[in-house]
Amino acid sequence: MNIKQRITSAYRYIEPNLFIIGLLGSIGFPAYYFIWTYLFPQPYENLLLRLVCTLLFLPFVIKSLMPKWFYRYKEKHFVFSICFSLPFFFCYMMIRNEWSVVWIMSFMAAIFLSIMIIYDWLLILIFTTIAACTAALIGYMTMGHIGAGFHASYLIVFSFSYFTGICFNYRNRIEIESKQLFSQSFSNGIAHEMRNPLGALYASQEVLLELLPDTLTTDPQHNRLISNAEVSKLRDIIKDNISVINNGNNTIDLLLNSIDNQKISSHSFHYTSINDVINNALNVYGYKNKNDRNLVFFQINKDSMFFGNSILLRYVFFNLLKNSFYYKEKTDFKIIISVYSKHNETIISVKDYGKGIPSTAIKNIFTEYYTSGKKNNSGLGLSFCKKVIDAFTGSIECYSTENISTTFIIRLPIITSPTIDKIKYDSMSTKKILFIGNQPQILTDLNHLAYFYNFTLCYEQISSNNIISIDEKNYDCIIIDINLINNSLLKKITRSNRYNLY
């Protein structure tokens, strides 16, 4: 960014707090004149200079009342006001007061305030240097010297204050921007996820239009006949649409709830077929045209199960497909997805014959915010994919030959591995299970299991009221002593639209 862009960015960062800053400056500068003149007299004071600082801060307070022409210069006014009223004013007053302890401490406070307000390190360095040099020059012109009371050690203290303040502020800025970029990338991921079900719904509506007659009769009482096959097809389409909508909602909920401090939660992990996940991803992926589906080939010798979340794994395949299709215009482009087992792991290979990745970029592609020049790329897609695979206790690697092909290798442990047992045990500690019954022995056994697996066990005796209120609470599993339930309670359970009865 150039200096103008940096000034604009710094102004937008602090703009919500400008009123408070302006209020403190407008009151503080004249108030401290009376403090340093009458309450704790200092060798030198300058009311005129303080009034100038007050007038510079005043527009921050009455910003809404300022004329329209002022808004063209608001950013320049902001930077000038802060630099004049903080580093320049306090450095000049420190020199005029012959480097007294009070003004050295005041100048230190001004250092930290300027760093907090103008968070850009380059702007702070440039404008503070200009302000301090100007203050020293004017001090020399008015006094004939600036060295009375000065010690070289002060420069070390001031430099340390500036550079440590800038470093901590810069680190805070990077963290804030990282969270913003992560949120933006995550929002883009959700948007991409929603394009797939919307595309499926669009295709379904086209089929519905084909089944309906093209024209209406002039007779409003005329009834058209629809065959049983057409009625069945319409019902199937509607059911599929409802399923697509539900899957979309579940995807959004999972993507939002699976992120906790940018870590994937294992709360929703379960046994899932890799074959089903890949086929589902290939079927619902938002291809830009119908022929793109013919460019993807899937081969699997034997289906394997993995312990994780099917939606998150599908998200990984969506991201890999999106990256591969970016270079689909290359001659003989195609994507081959292969699944095979080796030793104690399942290996998934996603290979595209596209542009390839330069060898210098391979080591960075899973790094957050790293981009290879693609348009509208945040550099978070592959890093999030790595987080997902890491959460499954697997690994993802990339191999590429430039202008030939790129291969992503995903390794997932088999469901009987010790690492999966540990994930399942950790996941159980987040579960909440309800037991409804009157059998003390069953309750005792469940309490033993809860102690061993560390899940939360809730208990209620069988009654009509607690059966009705099941849907009002979040339970991962409900265990019911069905031998003690009469037909009326059984009907209430089966009518519950939240839990399945087994």
Side-chain angles (χ1 to χ4, degrees), residues 14 27 34 53 71 135 138 189 201 213 246 267 283 300 402 406 412 457 484 499:
I14 201 64
I27 296 174
F34 294 98
C53 294
Y71 290 94
I138 296 176
L201 289 175
N246 289 334
H267 179 77
N283 290 334
I300 181 172
E402 201 167 0
T406 300
L412 298 174
L457 178 65
L484 301 178
Y499 299 98

PDB file of all heavy atoms in Angstrom, residues 14 27 34 53 71 135 138 189 201 213 246 267 283 300 402 406 412 457 484 499:
ATOM      1  N   ILE A  14      -9.634   3.688  13.299  1.00  0.00           N
ATOM      2  CA  ILE A  14      -9.863   4.427  14.547  1.00  0.00           C
ATOM      3  C   ILE A  14     -11.127   5.268  14.498  1.00  0.00           C
ATOM      4  O   ILE A  14     -11.541   5.832  15.524  1.00  0.00           O
ATOM      5  CB  ILE A  14      -8.634   5.329  14.844  1.00  0.00           C
ATOM      6  CG1 ILE A  14      -8.572   5.697  16.332  1.00  0.00           C
ATOM      7  CG2 ILE A  14      -8.654   6.566  13.976  1.00  0.00           C
ATOM      8  CD1 ILE A  14      -8.361   4.536  17.257  1.00  0.00           C
ATOM      9  N   ILE A  27     -10.756  18.696  25.872  1.00  0.00           N
ATOM     10  CA  ILE A  27     -10.813  19.048  27.300  1.00  0.00           C
ATOM     11  C   ILE A  27      -9.423  18.994  27.927  1.00  0.00           C
ATOM     12  O   ILE A  27      -9.053  19.849  28.747  1.00  0.00           O
ATOM     13  CB  ILE A  27     -11.771  18.086  28.039  1.00  0.00           C
ATOM     14  CG1 ILE A  27     -13.200  18.252  27.505  1.00  0.00           C
ATOM     15  CG2 ILE A  27     -11.736  18.343  29.544  1.00  0.00           C
ATOM     16  CD1 ILE A  27     -14.181  17.245  28.073  1.00  0.00           C
ATOM     17  N   PHE A  34      -3.831  24.687  33.115  1.00  0.00           N
ATOM     18  CA  PHE A  34      -4.037  25.184  34.484  1.00  0.00           C
ATOM     19  C   PHE A  34      -3.340  24.289  35.504  1.00  0.00           C
ATOM     20  O   PHE A  34      -2.848  24.766  36.528  1.00  0.00           O
ATOM     21  CB  PHE A  34      -5.536  25.267  34.783  1.00  0.00           C
ATOM     22  CG  PHE A  34      -6.252  26.297  33.956  1.00  0.00           C
ATOM     23  CD1 PHE A  34      -6.949  25.946  32.820  1.00  0.00           C
ATOM     24  CD2 PHE A  34      -6.199  27.645  34.316  1.00  0.00           C
ATOM     25  CE1 PHE A  34      -7.595  26.899  32.059  1.00  0.00           C
ATOM     26  CE2 PHE A  34      -6.844  28.616  33.564  1.00  0.00           C
ATOM     27  CZ  PHE A  34      -7.535  28.242  32.429  1.00  0.00           C
ATOM     28  N   CYS A  53      -4.010  22.932  19.531  1.00  0.00           N
ATOM     29  CA  CYS A  53      -4.271  21.487  19.645  1.00  0.00           C
ATOM     30  C   CYS A  53      -5.747  21.214  19.933  1.00  0.00           C
ATOM     31  O   CYS A  53      -6.349  20.279  19.390  1.00  0.00           O
ATOM     32  CB  CYS A  53      -3.399  20.882  20.744  1.00  0.00           C
ATOM     33  SG  CYS A  53      -1.623  20.909  20.395  1.00  0.00           S
ATOM     34  N   TYR A  71     -14.995  16.992   4.700  1.00  0.00           N
ATOM     35  CA  TYR A  71     -14.894  15.545   4.562  1.00  0.00           C
ATOM     36  C   TYR A  71     -13.883  15.128   3.496  1.00  0.00           C
ATOM     37  O   TYR A  71     -13.387  14.009   3.506  1.00  0.00           O
ATOM     38  CB  TYR A  71     -16.278  14.959   4.246  1.00  0.00           C
ATOM     39  CG  TYR A  71     -17.217  15.033   5.420  1.00  0.00           C
ATOM     40  CD1 TYR A  71     -18.090  16.104   5.572  1.00  0.00           C
ATOM     41  CD2 TYR A  71     -17.217  14.050   6.403  1.00  0.00           C
ATOM     42  CE1 TYR A  71     -18.947  16.187   6.662  1.00  0.00           C
ATOM     43  CE2 TYR A  71     -18.070  14.114   7.496  1.00  0.00           C
ATOM     44  CZ  TYR A  71     -18.927  15.188   7.622  1.00  0.00           C
ATOM     45  OH  TYR A  71     -19.761  15.277   8.702  1.00  0.00           O
ATOM     46  N   ALA A 135      10.010  19.692  16.029  1.00  0.00           N
ATOM     47  CA  ALA A 135       9.984  20.216  17.394  1.00  0.00           C
ATOM     48  C   ALA A 135      11.395  20.596  17.849  1.00  0.00           C
ATOM     49  O   ALA A 135      11.594  21.646  18.487  1.00  0.00           O
ATOM     50  CB  ALA A 135       9.384  19.177  18.340  1.00  0.00           C
ATOM     51  N   ILE A 138      12.432  23.903  15.941  1.00  0.00           N
ATOM     52  CA  ILE A 138      11.776  25.100  16.483  1.00  0.00           C
ATOM     53  C   ILE A 138      12.302  25.398  17.883  1.00  0.00           C
ATOM     54  O   ILE A 138      12.499  26.562  18.261  1.00  0.00           O
ATOM     55  CB  ILE A 138      10.242  24.909  16.489  1.00  0.00           C
ATOM     56  CG1 ILE A 138       9.726  24.781  15.051  1.00  0.00           C
ATOM     57  CG2 ILE A 138       9.552  26.067  17.198  1.00  0.00           C
ATOM     58  CD1 ILE A 138       8.252  24.493  14.951  1.00  0.00           C
ATOM     59  N   GLY A 189     -16.670 -19.849   1.697  1.00  0.00           N
ATOM     60  CA  GLY A 189     -16.897 -21.295   1.687  1.00  0.00           C
ATOM     61  C   GLY A 189     -18.367 -21.637   1.838  1.00  0.00           C
ATOM     62  O   GLY A 189     -18.890 -22.517   1.151  1.00  0.00           O
ATOM     63  N   LEU A 201     -31.507 -27.321  -7.030  1.00  0.00           N
ATOM     64  CA  LEU A 201     -32.899 -26.876  -7.005  1.00  0.00           C
ATOM     65  C   LEU A 201     -33.305 -26.261  -8.344  1.00  0.00           C
ATOM     66  O   LEU A 201     -34.423 -26.455  -8.821  1.00  0.00           O
ATOM     67  CB  LEU A 201     -33.108 -25.849  -5.882  1.00  0.00           C
ATOM     68  CG  LEU A 201     -33.057 -26.380  -4.456  1.00  0.00           C
ATOM     69  CD1 LEU A 201     -33.167 -25.227  -3.460  1.00  0.00           C
ATOM     70  CD2 LEU A 201     -34.190 -27.372  -4.215  1.00  0.00           C
ATOM     71  N   PRO A 213     -48.049 -28.481 -18.231  1.00  0.00           N
ATOM     72  CA  PRO A 213     -48.419 -28.095 -19.601  1.00  0.00           C
ATOM     73  C   PRO A 213     -47.919 -26.696 -19.934  1.00  0.00           C
ATOM     74  O   PRO A 213     -47.803 -25.835 -19.073  1.00  0.00           O
ATOM     75  CB  PRO A 213     -49.950 -28.154 -19.575  1.00  0.00           C
ATOM     76  CG  PRO A 213     -50.320 -28.039 -18.137  1.00  0.00           C
ATOM     77  CD  PRO A 213     -49.219 -28.700 -17.371  1.00  0.00           C
ATOM     78  N   ASN A 246     -32.495 -29.233   3.236  1.00  0.00           N
ATOM     79  CA  ASN A 246     -32.052 -29.675   4.563  1.00  0.00           C
ATOM     80  C   ASN A 246     -30.545 -29.876   4.614  1.00  0.00           C
ATOM     81  O   ASN A 246     -29.883 -29.502   5.592  1.00  0.00           O
ATOM     82  CB  ASN A 246     -32.764 -30.977   4.948  1.00  0.00           C
ATOM     83  CG  ASN A 246     -34.234 -30.765   5.262  1.00  0.00           C
ATOM     84  OD1 ASN A 246     -34.629 -29.671   5.667  1.00  0.00           O
ATOM     85  ND2 ASN A 246     -35.047 -31.791   5.076  1.00  0.00           N
ATOM     86  N   HIS A 267     -17.150 -32.970  17.634  1.00  0.00           N
ATOM     87  CA  HIS A 267     -18.469 -33.253  18.217  1.00  0.00           C
ATOM     88  C   HIS A 267     -19.373 -33.976  17.222  1.00  0.00           C
ATOM     89  O   HIS A 267     -20.178 -34.830  17.616  1.00  0.00           O
ATOM     90  CB  HIS A 267     -19.118 -31.946  18.671  1.00  0.00           C
ATOM     91  CG  HIS A 267     -20.479 -32.120  19.271  1.00  0.00           C
ATOM     92  ND1 HIS A 267     -20.662 -32.590  20.551  1.00  0.00           N
ATOM     93  CD2 HIS A 267     -21.719 -31.904  18.759  1.00  0.00           C
ATOM     94  CE1 HIS A 267     -21.961 -32.652  20.807  1.00  0.00           C
ATOM     95  NE2 HIS A 267     -22.617 -32.243  19.749  1.00  0.00           N
ATOM     96  N   ASN A 283     -21.688 -35.422  -7.423  1.00  0.00           N
ATOM     97  CA  ASN A 283     -23.046 -35.240  -7.941  1.00  0.00           C
ATOM     98  C   ASN A 283     -23.603 -33.844  -7.668  1.00  0.00           C
ATOM     99  O   ASN A 283     -24.346 -33.303  -8.485  1.00  0.00           O
ATOM    100  CB  ASN A 283     -23.989 -36.295  -7.346  1.00  0.00           C
ATOM    101  CG  ASN A 283     -23.703 -37.683  -7.880  1.00  0.00           C
ATOM    102  OD1 ASN A 283     -23.184 -37.847  -8.992  1.00  0.00           O
ATOM    103  ND2 ASN A 283     -24.013 -38.699  -7.093  1.00  0.00           N
ATOM    104  N   ILE A 300     -12.615 -46.750  -7.480  1.00  0.00           N
ATOM    105  CA  ILE A 300     -12.427 -47.284  -6.131  1.00  0.00           C
ATOM    106  C   ILE A 300     -12.553 -48.799  -6.195  1.00  0.00           C
ATOM    107  O   ILE A 300     -13.477 -49.335  -6.820  1.00  0.00           O
ATOM    108  CB  ILE A 300     -13.453 -46.678  -5.148  1.00  0.00           C
ATOM    109  CG1 ILE A 300     -13.225 -47.219  -3.731  1.00  0.00           C
ATOM    110  CG2 ILE A 300     -14.870 -46.889  -5.609  1.00  0.00           C
ATOM    111  CD1 ILE A 300     -14.079 -46.511  -2.677  1.00  0.00           C
ATOM    112  N   GLU A 402       5.192 -29.138 -13.006  1.00  0.00           N
ATOM    113  CA  GLU A 402       4.685 -27.954 -13.688  1.00  0.00           C
ATOM    114  C   GLU A 402       4.344 -28.260 -15.145  1.00  0.00           C
ATOM    115  O   GLU A 402       5.083 -28.941 -15.847  1.00  0.00           O
ATOM    116  CB  GLU A 402       5.712 -26.826 -13.602  1.00  0.00           C
ATOM    117  CG  GLU A 402       5.114 -25.455 -13.822  1.00  0.00           C
ATOM    118  CD  GLU A 402       6.067 -24.347 -13.424  1.00  0.00           C
ATOM    119  OE1 GLU A 402       7.189 -24.654 -12.973  1.00  0.00           O
ATOM    120  OE2 GLU A 402       5.687 -23.175 -13.575  1.00  0.00           O
ATOM    121  N   THR A 406      -0.990 -32.207 -11.132  1.00  0.00           N
ATOM    122  CA  THR A 406      -0.920 -31.952  -9.681  1.00  0.00           C
ATOM    123  C   THR A 406      -1.694 -33.049  -8.975  1.00  0.00           C
ATOM    124  O   THR A 406      -2.808 -33.390  -9.380  1.00  0.00           O
ATOM    125  CB  THR A 406      -1.523 -30.576  -9.322  1.00  0.00           C
ATOM    126  OG1 THR A 406      -0.800 -29.551 -10.003  1.00  0.00           O
ATOM    127  CG2 THR A 406      -1.452 -30.345  -7.820  1.00  0.00           C
ATOM    128  N   LEU A 412      -6.057 -41.249   5.489  1.00  0.00           N
ATOM    129  CA  LEU A 412      -6.954 -41.331   6.646  1.00  0.00           C
ATOM    130  C   LEU A 412      -6.741 -42.648   7.367  1.00  0.00           C
ATOM    131  O   LEU A 412      -6.641 -43.707   6.724  1.00  0.00           O
ATOM    132  CB  LEU A 412      -8.412 -41.217   6.195  1.00  0.00           C
ATOM    133  CG  LEU A 412      -8.824 -39.906   5.516  1.00  0.00           C
ATOM    134  CD1 LEU A 412     -10.246 -40.000   4.998  1.00  0.00           C
ATOM    135  CD2 LEU A 412      -8.680 -38.739   6.475  1.00  0.00           C
ATOM    136  N   LEU A 457     -24.678 -37.583  31.670  1.00  0.00           N
ATOM    137  CA  LEU A 457     -25.872 -38.425  31.741  1.00  0.00           C
ATOM    138  C   LEU A 457     -26.969 -37.700  32.498  1.00  0.00           C
ATOM    139  O   LEU A 457     -26.760 -37.218  33.610  1.00  0.00           O
ATOM    140  CB  LEU A 457     -25.553 -39.757  32.430  1.00  0.00           C
ATOM    141  CG  LEU A 457     -26.740 -40.716  32.612  1.00  0.00           C
ATOM    142  CD1 LEU A 457     -27.265 -41.180  31.254  1.00  0.00           C
ATOM    143  CD2 LEU A 457     -26.347 -41.906  33.473  1.00  0.00           C
ATOM    144  N   LEU A 484     -41.559 -50.209  29.702  1.00  0.00           N
ATOM    145  CA  LEU A 484     -42.409 -49.528  30.664  1.00  0.00           C
ATOM    146  C   LEU A 484     -43.259 -48.431  30.025  1.00  0.00           C
ATOM    147  O   LEU A 484     -43.917 -47.662  30.727  1.00  0.00           O
ATOM    148  CB  LEU A 484     -41.542 -48.911  31.771  1.00  0.00           C
ATOM    149  CG  LEU A 484     -40.673 -49.897  32.566  1.00  0.00           C
ATOM    150  CD1 LEU A 484     -39.836 -49.143  33.583  1.00  0.00           C
ATOM    151  CD2 LEU A 484     -41.537 -50.952  33.254  1.00  0.00           C
ATOM    152  N   TYR A 499     -35.937 -36.765  16.820  1.00  0.00           N
ATOM    153  CA  TYR A 499     -35.153 -37.955  17.113  1.00  0.00           C
ATOM    154  C   TYR A 499     -35.746 -39.151  16.391  1.00  0.00           C
ATOM    155  O   TYR A 499     -36.955 -39.268  16.219  1.00  0.00           O
ATOM    156  CB  TYR A 499     -35.121 -38.227  18.633  1.00  0.00           C
ATOM    157  CG  TYR A 499     -34.506 -37.111  19.422  1.00  0.00           C
ATOM    158  CD1 TYR A 499     -35.301 -36.155  20.064  1.00  0.00           C
ATOM    159  CD2 TYR A 499     -33.120 -36.992  19.538  1.00  0.00           C
ATOM    160  CE1 TYR A 499     -34.740 -35.127  20.787  1.00  0.00           C
ATOM    161  CE2 TYR A 499     -32.552 -35.978  20.256  1.00  0.00           C
ATOM    162  CZ  TYR A 499     -33.358 -35.052  20.883  1.00  0.00           C
ATOM    163  OH  TYR A 499     -32.796 -34.017  21.603  1.00  0.00           O
TER     164      TYR A 499
END
